[in-house]
Amino acid sequence: MALAVVFGGGGVRGAFQAGVWEVVGPQLKPDFVIGSSIGAINAWATTRLTPKELAEWWHTRVPDHLWPRQTQPLQQLITAISNRLVRNPWPALAVATRLPQRRAQVVTLTPDHATQWLLASSAMPGWFASQQIKGNWYVDGGVANDLPVAIARDLGATQILGISALGLGPTPQIGETPVLYPPKHTGAMFDFSLKHRQLLLQAGRDAGHTWMQSPQAQSFLASSF
């Protein structure tokens, strides 16, 4: 079996994903991870940070504000992650949306180009500017597929765990894939205040613990090894 973990887009709700990963991540060894938008950044971070470190990163290192059209804080965050030594060797893939076709573009991230592709994957229209890479323009991966379960399946994953961040884009062909969702009332997508991040981290931990105790999780984990 090929195991993939899929991280969805959703701004600050990426903190929820970090909380889930803190609980669930130590139990999994995915063949690859993939994400859109903030989920792509979290996917990349799993290759450089332990699950506990990723949660701590969201608590202490993520900026309190991400203003419209100002990508420098996000770029600095991505660069700091990329500069860390590899801890987990699985491939991390990012989904961006190519314009004008609005087609999903999937890229396997490397330190050489992770920053530019993660900025493209996170370029939410109306908030961050589209990104030009090799003559083509890209926006947020969530425009094409916010929770790219179907893409992971097309890439050969036979077992998939999705961790949503309740982004605004389409999520086609989820099917019977287990997905952990943040609470519906999680506050504004771009409220990066420490208090909000702490609430989301704890919600993720709670969701992770609840899922780990479920029969679905026991069956999933038993078939992962």
Side-chain angles (χ1 to χ4, degrees):
M1 281 190 166
L3 171 62
V5 178
V6 178
F7 296 87
V12 72
R13 297 167 198 152
F16 170 84
Q17 296 175 330
V20 170
W21 188 245
E22 184 178 8
V23 176
V24 176
Q27 310 302 320
L28 298 176
K29 292 184 179 179
D31 292 282
F32 66 92
V33 294
I34 182 171
S36 291
S37 198
I38 197 65
I41 295 174
N42 274 339
W44 178 237
T46 68
T47 68
R48 266 108 176 114
L49 305 173
T50 67
K52 185 176 180 62
E53 287 173 339
L54 179 56
E56 184 63 21
W57 193 275
W58 269 92
H59 183 249
T60 63
R61 299 291 297 275
V62 171
D64 291 336
H65 301 285
L66 285 179
W67 303 112
R69 295 173 294 281
Q70 294 183 8
T71 59
Q72 185 176 5
L74 188 61
Q75 182 172 342
Q76 291 173 341
L77 180 69
I78 295 168
T79 300
I81 293 171
S82 299
N83 288 339
R84 299 287 292 261
L85 296 176
V86 174
R87 299 191 69 110
N88 296 302
W90 50 68
L93 285 66
V95 179
T97 300
R98 183 171 174 174
L99 300 177
Q101 302 92 340
R102 296 171 69 92
R103 185 176 68 238
Q105 178 83 27
V106 183
V107 178
T108 300
L109 298 170
T110 70
D112 291 339
H113 68 218
T115 298
Q116 62 179 341
W117 278 110
L118 288 173
L119 287 175
S121 181
S122 304
M124 183 177 179
W127 195 270
F128 292 135
S130 57
Q131 298 290 307
Q132 186 177 35
I133 302 175
K134 295 183 178 179
N136 298 307
W137 289 95
Y138 299 90
V139 294
D140 196 295
V143 172
N145 194 325
D146 191 68
L147 186 65
V149 167
I151 294 175
R153 194 179 297 121
D154 289 344
L155 291 171
T158 53
Q159 189 176 27
I160 301 169
L161 176 65
I163 310 177
S164 172
L166 289 180
L168 302 177
T171 56
Q173 300 179 27
I174 298 296
E176 299 300 316
T177 299
V179 178
L180 280 71
Y181 291 97
K184 289 185 178 180
H185 303 290
T186 57
M189 187 182 299
F190 283 94
D191 175 9
F192 276 80
S193 66
L194 176 59
K195 181 179 179 181
H196 195 201
R197 299 199 315 270
Q198 289 173 326
L199 290 172
L200 288 164
L201 280 165
Q202 190 57 50
R205 295 184 187 106
D206 293 344
H209 284 300
T210 298
W211 185 74
M212 288 289 289
Q213 295 168 6
S214 69
Q216 182 190 56
Q218 298 307 311
S219 175
F220 185 93
L221 294 172
S223 59
S224 298
F225 298 97

